[in-house]
Amino acid sequence: MSPLPDPVIRIHGITGARSACRVMGDRAFGLLSPEHAAQTRGALWFADLLTLVREEFPACDFTAILDCRGRVSGALAGIELGLDAVIVEPTSDTRIEKLADMARRANCIVITDLPATDTIYQMADNLLPDHELDRRLRAHINGLRSQMP
């Protein structure tokens, strides 16, 4: 069982984060950074984006997940910045255990396996206008609800 809420929504920037918050309202969900965001944009970029959307959508209940694959130091920064979860590549040494211990003390989760690709909703916020982002995410969420027993 995944420690992450369902659904997990991958965004590319503030537009996608805002759309996810508008559509999800107060329903819990995972807000996943772009792929390798710690390496390409930095943990502070993601933390600042989260601060903005949390101010705009105070009732929104999301778990902030930073993709740190390719840059373990980004996971350290994410933990220090108060993110909810970081994704790192598994290693055979003790670095991940030490990282997980530090994360636990900061109420952060260290994940070594990216959720299955088919369980991540890929927000096309780098391609589509706001209204279309909202419409597509709403349709996806409604489709998930109709699949529940």
Side-chain angles (χ1 to χ4, degrees):
M1 183 172 170
S2 172
L4 300 175
D6 184 34
V8 173
I9 302 170
R10 183 183 294 278
I11 58 150
H12 297 91
I14 190 77
T15 302
R18 286 177 173 144
S19 176
C21 289
R22 273 193 306 272
V23 172
M24 298 304 292
D26 62 359
R27 179 179 176 208
F29 67 100
L31 191 63
L32 178 59
S33 72
E35 287 189 47
H36 308 283
Q39 184 176 13
T40 59
R41 299 179 185 194
L44 186 57
W45 168 83
F46 192 55
D48 286 347
L49 181 148
L50 298 170
T51 297
L52 290 173
V53 295
R54 284 192 166 124
E55 287 172 358
E56 291 178 44
F57 302 92
C60 206
D61 180 15
F62 62 82
T63 300
I65 311 156
L66 179 63
D67 185 338
C68 301
R69 293 174 299 152
R71 188 170 196 176
V72 175
S73 63
L76 290 170
I79 292 166
E80 289 176 359
L81 290 166
L83 299 181
D84 302 311
V86 293
I87 298 174
V88 296
E89 294 162 324
T91 63
S92 58
D93 59 27
T94 61
R95 285 183 296 167
I96 300 303
E97 289 174 30
K98 291 176 184 176
L99 185 67
D101 185 51
M102 290 178 358
R104 268 189 299 280
R105 287 186 244 150
N107 293 320
C108 181
I109 302 167
V110 174
I111 301 165
T112 55
D113 291 316
L114 188 65
T117 304
D118 62 343
T119 65
I120 299 173
Y121 178 79
Q122 298 286 341
M123 182 74 74
D125 53 317
N126 55 339
L127 303 170
L128 300 171
D130 293 5
H131 67 279
E132 185 63 15
L133 295 174
D134 292 3
R135 186 191 72 72
R136 289 182 184 203
L137 180 55
R138 236 180 243 107
H140 175 76
I141 297 303
N142 290 336
L144 290 177
R145 288 182 184 152
S146 68
Q147 294 173 6
M148 290 181 182

